Amino acid sequence: MILMNPLRTSRATVAAAAAVVLSFTSAGFANGAAGGALRDNGDKITVGIKFDQPGIGLKTPDGTYTGFDVDVATYVAKQLGHDPKDIVWKEAKSADRETLLQRGDVDFIAASYSINDKRAEKVDFAGPYLLAHQDVLIRADDDSIKKPSDLNNKKLCSVTGSTSAQNVKDKIAPNAQLQEYGGYSECLTGLENGVIDAVTTDDSILAGYAAQPEFKGKFKLGGFKMSNENYGIGVQKGSELKGKINKALEKMVADGSWDAAVKKNFGPAGYQNEPAPKIGVIVK
């Protein structure tokens, strides 16, 4: 007959119970429990951004992060009580954004994330914090493209899978010659070399690329404003963060930090940005 040590048994029971509670609590936060509160990650906050969009969200070779969305997210995180060193940056590719939020992998996403009805069914949006437009980027010395219809018979580039170039062909310039490349950097190389006549996507993204040192002074924006893209900060559905982030964005505009971030990230491209949008007002 084996006699059990009562003290050892008691400790084992307590440890097992604690493990269950810890497991439940961790799972709750990971799945966005407590009404979408911040993830239980100590002082850290996890933010989704683009890693490959200069001027918007870019992971540099030395492991730092730059861009307008990065500056906005850093400001917002500080208003939520987190120093820049507390931010864990996570890549948020376009196709993954809703999933990252729904799974609780990130606290919020600022990644050239246009607000639309389909996305709003799955996640909530704070903002908007930037009103962008579909536009074209052309060579600085090209005076042949002065209006959208001038894109007829021009070689128009966008990335594979993007709807931007097709929108131009369907609605504006039916004779445009579409060229699809793997990335916008390839489009810009083609534009620089004269293989491409124009590149199209959101003006903010185009301005970010054109503002890079290697392209400075080589390109210009058409300023055509072919669509309205309201950039918002994505959060989990029902999250209390939406209201807190909206207040942070309002403060960013009021204290001049928003204007400074626009000038810093887009200024070299001559980007004629819209004024800071009103929180909750979506421009159709």
PDB file of all heavy atoms in Angstrom, residues 156-175:
ATOM      1  N   LEU A 156       0.367  51.123 -69.089  1.00  0.00           N
ATOM      2  CA  LEU A 156      -0.027  51.401 -67.707  1.00  0.00           C
ATOM      3  C   LEU A 156       0.301  50.206 -66.823  1.00  0.00           C
ATOM      4  O   LEU A 156      -0.163  49.095 -67.074  1.00  0.00           O
ATOM      5  CB  LEU A 156      -1.522  51.708 -67.656  1.00  0.00           C
ATOM      6  CG  LEU A 156      -2.126  52.040 -66.303  1.00  0.00           C
ATOM      7  CD1 LEU A 156      -1.554  53.343 -65.749  1.00  0.00           C
ATOM      8  CD2 LEU A 156      -3.650  52.136 -66.413  1.00  0.00           C
ATOM      9  N   CYS A 157       1.057  50.448 -65.787  1.00  0.00           N
ATOM     10  CA  CYS A 157       1.537  49.348 -64.944  1.00  0.00           C
ATOM     11  C   CYS A 157       0.898  49.355 -63.561  1.00  0.00           C
ATOM     12  O   CYS A 157       0.678  50.405 -62.954  1.00  0.00           O
ATOM     13  CB  CYS A 157       3.055  49.451 -64.785  1.00  0.00           C
ATOM     14  SG  CYS A 157       3.795  48.046 -63.913  1.00  0.00           S
ATOM     15  N   SER A 158       0.595  48.169 -63.069  1.00  0.00           N
ATOM     16  CA  SER A 158       0.228  47.950 -61.677  1.00  0.00           C
ATOM     17  C   SER A 158       0.689  46.541 -61.313  1.00  0.00           C
ATOM     18  O   SER A 158       1.214  45.821 -62.158  1.00  0.00           O
ATOM     19  CB  SER A 158      -1.277  48.112 -61.465  1.00  0.00           C
ATOM     20  OG  SER A 158      -1.572  48.217 -60.079  1.00  0.00           O
ATOM     21  N   VAL A 159       0.499  46.161 -60.052  1.00  0.00           N
ATOM     22  CA  VAL A 159       0.989  44.846 -59.635  1.00  0.00           C
ATOM     23  C   VAL A 159      -0.028  43.765 -59.974  1.00  0.00           C
ATOM     24  O   VAL A 159      -1.237  44.027 -60.072  1.00  0.00           O
ATOM     25  CB  VAL A 159       1.303  44.810 -58.130  1.00  0.00           C
ATOM     26  CG1 VAL A 159       2.377  45.816 -57.785  1.00  0.00           C
ATOM     27  CG2 VAL A 159       0.058  45.058 -57.297  1.00  0.00           C
ATOM     28  N   THR A 160       0.462  42.568 -60.147  1.00  0.00           N
ATOM     29  CA  THR A 160      -0.392  41.429 -60.457  1.00  0.00           C
ATOM     30  C   THR A 160      -1.459  41.254 -59.375  1.00  0.00           C
ATOM     31  O   THR A 160      -1.160  41.251 -58.183  1.00  0.00           O
ATOM     32  CB  THR A 160       0.446  40.142 -60.564  1.00  0.00           C
ATOM     33  OG1 THR A 160       1.459  40.322 -61.554  1.00  0.00           O
ATOM     34  CG2 THR A 160      -0.422  38.956 -60.940  1.00  0.00           C
ATOM     35  N   GLY A 161      -2.698  41.138 -59.792  1.00  0.00           N
ATOM     36  CA  GLY A 161      -3.796  40.945 -58.858  1.00  0.00           C
ATOM     37  C   GLY A 161      -4.451  42.227 -58.396  1.00  0.00           C
ATOM     38  O   GLY A 161      -5.501  42.193 -57.750  1.00  0.00           O
ATOM     39  N   SER A 162      -3.858  43.380 -58.716  1.00  0.00           N
ATOM     40  CA  SER A 162      -4.449  44.657 -58.326  1.00  0.00           C
ATOM     41  C   SER A 162      -5.605  45.007 -59.252  1.00  0.00           C
ATOM     42  O   SER A 162      -5.599  44.657 -60.434  1.00  0.00           O
ATOM     43  CB  SER A 162      -3.393  45.770 -58.382  1.00  0.00           C
ATOM     44  OG  SER A 162      -3.992  47.034 -58.255  1.00  0.00           O
ATOM     45  N   THR A 163      -6.581  45.704 -58.702  1.00  0.00           N
ATOM     46  CA  THR A 163      -7.715  46.134 -59.531  1.00  0.00           C
ATOM     47  C   THR A 163      -7.531  47.546 -60.073  1.00  0.00           C
ATOM     48  O   THR A 163      -8.328  48.003 -60.888  1.00  0.00           O
ATOM     49  CB  THR A 163      -9.018  46.108 -58.698  1.00  0.00           C
ATOM     50  OG1 THR A 163      -8.876  46.993 -57.577  1.00  0.00           O
ATOM     51  CG2 THR A 163      -9.315  44.699 -58.206  1.00  0.00           C
ATOM     52  N   SER A 164      -6.467  48.227 -59.658  1.00  0.00           N
ATOM     53  CA  SER A 164      -6.291  49.632 -60.027  1.00  0.00           C
ATOM     54  C   SER A 164      -6.193  49.843 -61.525  1.00  0.00           C
ATOM     55  O   SER A 164      -6.911  50.676 -62.104  1.00  0.00           O
ATOM     56  CB  SER A 164      -5.039  50.204 -59.340  1.00  0.00           C
ATOM     57  OG  SER A 164      -5.166  50.168 -57.941  1.00  0.00           O
ATOM     58  N   ALA A 165      -5.293  49.104 -62.186  1.00  0.00           N
ATOM     59  CA  ALA A 165      -5.104  49.292 -63.626  1.00  0.00           C
ATOM     60  C   ALA A 165      -6.356  48.888 -64.398  1.00  0.00           C
ATOM     61  O   ALA A 165      -6.746  49.548 -65.367  1.00  0.00           O
ATOM     62  CB  ALA A 165      -3.894  48.490 -64.104  1.00  0.00           C
ATOM     63  N   GLN A 166      -7.003  47.815 -63.966  1.00  0.00           N
ATOM     64  CA  GLN A 166      -8.212  47.363 -64.649  1.00  0.00           C
ATOM     65  C   GLN A 166      -9.323  48.391 -64.511  1.00  0.00           C
ATOM     66  O   GLN A 166     -10.117  48.597 -65.435  1.00  0.00           O
ATOM     67  CB  GLN A 166      -8.661  46.013 -64.092  1.00  0.00           C
ATOM     68  CG  GLN A 166      -9.750  45.336 -64.919  1.00  0.00           C
ATOM     69  CD  GLN A 166      -9.288  44.982 -66.331  1.00  0.00           C
ATOM     70  OE1 GLN A 166      -8.224  44.398 -66.510  1.00  0.00           O
ATOM     71  NE2 GLN A 166     -10.081  45.353 -67.322  1.00  0.00           N
ATOM     72  N   ASN A 167      -9.395  49.051 -63.354  1.00  0.00           N
ATOM     73  CA  ASN A 167     -10.397  50.106 -63.164  1.00  0.00           C
ATOM     74  C   ASN A 167     -10.207  51.228 -64.176  1.00  0.00           C
ATOM     75  O   ASN A 167     -11.179  51.762 -64.724  1.00  0.00           O
ATOM     76  CB  ASN A 167     -10.297  50.685 -61.750  1.00  0.00           C
ATOM     77  CG  ASN A 167     -10.867  49.747 -60.701  1.00  0.00           C
ATOM     78  OD1 ASN A 167     -11.619  48.827 -61.016  1.00  0.00           O
ATOM     79  ND2 ASN A 167     -10.500  49.980 -59.453  1.00  0.00           N
ATOM     80  N   VAL A 168      -8.956  51.585 -64.426  1.00  0.00           N
ATOM     81  CA  VAL A 168      -8.671  52.636 -65.409  1.00  0.00           C
ATOM     82  C   VAL A 168      -9.122  52.192 -66.784  1.00  0.00           C
ATOM     83  O   VAL A 168      -9.773  52.940 -67.522  1.00  0.00           O
ATOM     84  CB  VAL A 168      -7.171  52.989 -65.411  1.00  0.00           C
ATOM     85  CG1 VAL A 168      -6.853  53.939 -66.574  1.00  0.00           C
ATOM     86  CG2 VAL A 168      -6.759  53.627 -64.089  1.00  0.00           C
ATOM     87  N   LYS A 169      -8.794  50.966 -67.154  1.00  0.00           N
ATOM     88  CA  LYS A 169      -9.145  50.465 -68.480  1.00  0.00           C
ATOM     89  C   LYS A 169     -10.661  50.326 -68.653  1.00  0.00           C
ATOM     90  O   LYS A 169     -11.216  50.634 -69.715  1.00  0.00           O
ATOM     91  CB  LYS A 169      -8.463  49.119 -68.741  1.00  0.00           C
ATOM     92  CG  LYS A 169      -8.643  48.596 -70.171  1.00  0.00           C
ATOM     93  CD  LYS A 169      -7.799  47.370 -70.414  1.00  0.00           C
ATOM     94  CE  LYS A 169      -8.029  46.824 -71.828  1.00  0.00           C
ATOM     95  NZ  LYS A 169      -7.576  47.780 -72.871  1.00  0.00           N
ATOM     96  N   ASP A 170     -11.333  49.884 -67.599  1.00  0.00           N
ATOM     97  CA  ASP A 170     -12.780  49.669 -67.680  1.00  0.00           C
ATOM     98  C   ASP A 170     -13.574  50.980 -67.695  1.00  0.00           C
ATOM     99  O   ASP A 170     -14.600  51.080 -68.381  1.00  0.00           O
ATOM    100  CB  ASP A 170     -13.259  48.816 -66.503  1.00  0.00           C
ATOM    101  CG  ASP A 170     -12.778  47.373 -66.604  1.00  0.00           C
ATOM    102  OD1 ASP A 170     -12.333  46.969 -67.692  1.00  0.00           O
ATOM    103  OD2 ASP A 170     -12.833  46.671 -65.581  1.00  0.00           O
ATOM    104  N   LYS A 171     -13.106  51.973 -66.949  1.00  0.00           N
ATOM    105  CA  LYS A 171     -13.931  53.151 -66.712  1.00  0.00           C
ATOM    106  C   LYS A 171     -13.398  54.450 -67.311  1.00  0.00           C
ATOM    107  O   LYS A 171     -14.160  55.401 -67.504  1.00  0.00           O
ATOM    108  CB  LYS A 171     -14.108  53.353 -65.202  1.00  0.00           C
ATOM    109  CG  LYS A 171     -14.725  52.158 -64.487  1.00  0.00           C
ATOM    110  CD  LYS A 171     -14.752  52.373 -62.972  1.00  0.00           C
ATOM    111  CE  LYS A 171     -15.302  51.149 -62.244  1.00  0.00           C
ATOM    112  NZ  LYS A 171     -15.281  51.327 -60.769  1.00  0.00           N
ATOM    113  N   ILE A 172     -12.099  54.512 -67.593  1.00  0.00           N
ATOM    114  CA  ILE A 172     -11.509  55.808 -67.944  1.00  0.00           C
ATOM    115  C   ILE A 172     -10.797  55.805 -69.288  1.00  0.00           C
ATOM    116  O   ILE A 172     -11.030  56.676 -70.128  1.00  0.00           O
ATOM    117  CB  ILE A 172     -10.531  56.263 -66.832  1.00  0.00           C
ATOM    118  CG1 ILE A 172     -11.294  56.446 -65.510  1.00  0.00           C
ATOM    119  CG2 ILE A 172      -9.824  57.557 -67.218  1.00  0.00           C
ATOM    120  CD1 ILE A 172     -10.403  56.645 -64.311  1.00  0.00           C
ATOM    121  N   ALA A 173      -9.909  54.841 -69.483  1.00  0.00           N
ATOM    122  CA  ALA A 173      -9.092  54.807 -70.701  1.00  0.00           C
ATOM    123  C   ALA A 173      -9.108  53.389 -71.271  1.00  0.00           C
ATOM    124  O   ALA A 173      -8.199  52.598 -71.024  1.00  0.00           O
ATOM    125  CB  ALA A 173      -7.660  55.258 -70.402  1.00  0.00           C
ATOM    126  N   PRO A 174     -10.134  53.045 -72.057  1.00  0.00           N
ATOM    127  CA  PRO A 174     -10.303  51.667 -72.525  1.00  0.00           C
ATOM    128  C   PRO A 174      -9.172  51.161 -73.411  1.00  0.00           C
ATOM    129  O   PRO A 174      -8.984  49.953 -73.536  1.00  0.00           O
ATOM    130  CB  PRO A 174     -11.624  51.715 -73.304  1.00  0.00           C
ATOM    131  CG  PRO A 174     -11.842  53.149 -73.625  1.00  0.00           C
ATOM    132  CD  PRO A 174     -11.236  53.920 -72.496  1.00  0.00           C
ATOM    133  N   ASN A 175      -8.402  52.069 -73.996  1.00  0.00           N
ATOM    134  CA  ASN A 175      -7.301  51.657 -74.864  1.00  0.00           C
ATOM    135  C   ASN A 175      -5.950  51.655 -74.167  1.00  0.00           C
ATOM    136  O   ASN A 175      -4.911  51.514 -74.822  1.00  0.00           O
ATOM    137  CB  ASN A 175      -7.245  52.557 -76.102  1.00  0.00           C
ATOM    138  CG  ASN A 175      -8.464  52.386 -76.993  1.00  0.00           C
ATOM    139  OD1 ASN A 175      -8.976  51.276 -77.162  1.00  0.00           O
ATOM    140  ND2 ASN A 175      -8.954  53.484 -77.557  1.00  0.00           N
TER     141      ASN A 175
END
